[in-house]
Amino acid sequence: MPAIVLVGTQWGDEGKGKATDLLGSRIDHVVKFNGGNNAGHTVVIGDQKYALHLLPSGILSPGVTPVIANGVVIDLSVLIDELDGLEARGVDTSLLRVSANAHVIPPYNRVLDKVTERFLGKRRIGTTGRGIGPTYADKMNRVGIRVQDLYDESILRQKVEAALGFKNQLLLKIYNRRDIEVEEVMGELLRHAERIRPMVTDTALELNEALDRGETVLFEAGQATLLDVDHGTYPFVTSSNATAGGACTGAGVPPTRIDRVIGVFKAYTTRVGEGPFPTELEDEAGELLREVGAEFGTTTGRPRRCGWADVVIGRYATRVNGLTDVVLTKLDVLTGLDKLPVCVAYDVQGERFDEMPVNQSDFHHARPIYEELDGWTEDISGCRRFEELPEAAQNYVLHLEKWTGARISVIGVGPGRDEVIVRHDLLGSDDVH
């Protein structure tokens, strides 16, 4: 049975939760390997909508073991709130596993995240202010706090005191903020330690043993390719590796175990936060996509910036991640539009780029070169076979497939769990449905 990596191919919010849910009962473990509660998955099951921020969306599938791996940074209060919220709705969360090596977001990093963004003004990155970046910085600076530290109060106190010795200087002398007390931090970090203790384990060992037993493991990326700290539109990126390679370091599973890489591509493009966005629409068309597609952040509620599909970044994501399959989401949102422009290349000060410019400045100045496809007016939400789609919708899908170079195996035609067209089995069969 395979080990599968699931990644976003744009700037996030492509619908990875739905893709994970689609595999549902056919997988044994769902692993979150990067990020924290700075992103969210929305999963619709029947008339119930679930907004997940820190937990892997596989927690909604009975019998699936959800795993928060070592590459994730954890806000303990958010984790407990999510668990309590799901349990109140009758969801069993008892199978959750949490890596002892995952880093914890201390309260001082949330404070620093927010004040730094305000201090940067027009040069801000557009973070969610949840302490993600500062916690990853602590990790790289080797002053971070890990889940396992919660169970040795002496070590925990030493680490908190060492961190505050520096961070309080920043708060006081640079940002003119009050200092943070050691006991305040200790109290927050220890408040939930016993609650999560039964979940804490060596997740890397457990996942490798699961693969040895022939079980299916899905590695679910937070954020998306263009937000990857190495391969995204730096510096307007997240602080972790959201591409397929991040699954190996973020979960402790070697690359030789990975069988398939599934990319999730929205039928148009959205972005939250700051940074260049070549196909962005600041007109009625952009507002229409936002309203019809309900493009508001799962975590922040911020309206998402909307634009036409961009196959330049699609080709880039296909190459960087080694995609074997694509799940195309929200095709139904485009219903009713007469023409559908698709960005096939960029114009950068008179020079054509068919691939992503490596230079940050070039990408900032990129202007889309469009090819226009016909739209359709028919309601496609009831379609369950590719041949049932209007000819124009089929043509749109086939052109995206050709231009990105990645096989589109699943097409989302509505928000519901069953509102999909399956062309190819995501677990490896070539059967067309």
Side-chain angles (χ1 to χ4, degrees):
M1 298 299 286
I4 307 162
V5 181
L6 180 74
V7 299
T9 62
Q10 299 160 327
W11 281 284
D13 311 307
E14 300 94 348
K16 295 183 290 295
K18 181 172 183 176
T20 302
D21 186 59
L22 181 64
L23 291 164
S25 61
R26 305 176 65 194
I27 54 180
D28 301 296
H29 303 260
V30 176
V31 185
K32 181 165 184 170
F33 63 82
N34 78 296
N37 58 306
N38 55 335
H41 294 316
T42 300
V43 179
V44 179
I45 303 176
D47 60 352
Q48 295 292 308
K49 180 183 288 188
Y50 298 87
L52 304 175
H53 307 280
L54 187 55
L55 293 168
S57 53
I59 200 165
L60 298 172
S61 299
V64 172
T65 300
V67 178
I68 297 177
N70 58 275
V72 178
V73 291
I74 302 174
D75 186 315
L76 296 172
S77 295
V78 171
L79 175 60
I80 297 304
D81 285 347
E82 279 198 47
L83 290 171
D84 288 346
L86 289 179
E87 289 167 5
R89 297 174 69 177
V91 177
D92 179 16
T93 65
S94 63
L95 294 180
L96 178 65
R97 314 299 280 159
V98 177
S99 172
N101 289 336
H103 281 246
V104 174
I105 300 175
Y108 48 76
N109 280 344
R110 292 196 301 270
V111 174
L112 279 169
D113 200 356
K114 292 173 183 176
V115 298
T116 301
E117 278 286 278
R118 285 196 287 269
F119 183 79
L120 288 171
K122 292 181 179 179
R123 292 173 289 121
R124 65 188 180 275
I125 302 299
T127 76
T128 58
R130 284 161 168 75
I132 309 295
T135 302
Y136 276 113
D138 283 357
K139 178 178 179 177
M140 295 305 163
N141 286 326
R142 292 159 293 184
V143 294
I145 295 169
R146 299 191 293 178
V147 169
Q148 60 182 272
D149 297 328
L150 302 176
Y151 306 105
D152 189 322
E153 192 169 336
S154 175
I155 287 178
L156 179 63
R157 183 176 295 276
Q158 290 176 42
K159 289 191 172 187
V160 170
E161 289 175 345
L164 285 179
F166 172 70
K167 291 175 187 286
N168 275 335
Q169 294 298 310
L170 281 178
L171 289 171
L172 287 165
K173 296 180 179 179
I174 303 297
Y175 300 118
N176 196 29
R177 298 287 175 141
R178 75 169 182 87
D179 60 350
I180 297 174
E181 300 292 335
V182 172
E183 294 306 322
E184 177 184 345
V185 176
M186 291 289 291
E188 178 172 322
L189 294 178
L190 292 173
R191 186 177 306 127
H192 303 299
E194 290 308 310
R195 170 77 180 275
I196 69 167
R197 187 191 282 266
M199 310 168 190
V200 177
T201 186
D202 184 347
T203 56
L205 174 62
E206 290 194 3
L207 291 171
N208 279 281
E209 289 179 339
L211 290 170
D212 289 341
R213 293 192 297 270
E215 297 175 8
T216 301
V217 179
L218 179 67
F219 300 90
E220 178 184 73
Q223 292 83 43
T225 299
L226 274 296
L227 292 175
D228 185 283
V229 68
D230 285 294
H231 304 290
T233 49
Y234 191 91
F236 302 99
V237 292
T238 193
S239 302
S240 60
N241 289 114
T243 41
C248 297
T249 54
V253 173
T256 51
R257 306 302 296 260
I258 305 300
D259 297 286
R260 309 190 68 76
V261 182
I262 301 170
V264 186
F265 192 101
K266 195 180 289 185
Y268 48 99
T269 313
T270 62
R271 178 167 197 171
V272 173
E274 307 300 319
F277 182 179
T279 67
E280 182 172 12
L281 297 168
E282 300 183 86
D283 57 11
E284 291 181 2
E287 186 61 33
L288 178 66
L289 291 175
R290 184 177 300 110
E291 292 300 323
V292 176
E295 297 296 350
F296 300 90
T298 303
T299 296
T300 64
R302 288 186 291 183
R304 296 173 185 146
R305 301 156 65 190
C306 296
W308 299 122
D310 184 336
V311 295
V312 181
I313 65 175
R315 283 193 292 272
Y316 178 73
T318 299
R319 181 174 72 251
V320 169
N321 293 294
L323 299 183
T324 59
D325 299 89
V326 165
V327 175
L328 180 69
T329 59
K330 292 196 171 184
L331 185 65
D332 53 300
V333 173
L334 301 180
T335 298
L337 296 170
D338 292 334
K339 296 293 181 181
L340 298 172
V342 178
C343 174
V344 295
Y346 300 141
D347 181 302
V348 181
Q349 299 177 340
E351 181 181 357
R352 180 184 173 110
F353 282 73
D354 290 295
E355 300 292 343
M356 280 279 290
V358 69
N359 186 290
Q360 174 190 339
S361 181
D362 285 343
F363 188 70
H364 179 77
H365 291 100
R367 297 294 175 262
I369 297 174
Y370 287 116
E371 288 201 25
E372 202 170 70
L373 302 175
D374 290 332
W376 61 91
T377 58
E378 299 92 330
D379 179 7
I380 65 172
S381 62
C383 297
R384 295 296 177 267
R385 295 178 59 85
F386 185 69
E387 296 76 15
E388 295 173 1
L389 289 172
E391 184 178 350
Q394 292 184 39
N395 188 53
Y396 187 79
V397 172
L398 293 174
H399 272 80
L400 292 183
E401 190 171 60
K402 179 182 73 173
W403 285 330
T404 60
R407 183 176 77 169
I408 296 177
S409 297
V410 175
I411 303 163
V413 293
R417 169 183 261 180
D418 62 338
E419 292 179 312
V420 294
I421 294 170
V422 179
R423 298 176 73 207
H424 305 282
D425 186 355
L426 290 176
L427 293 187
S429 169
D430 287 330
D431 294 337
V432 178
H433 297 264

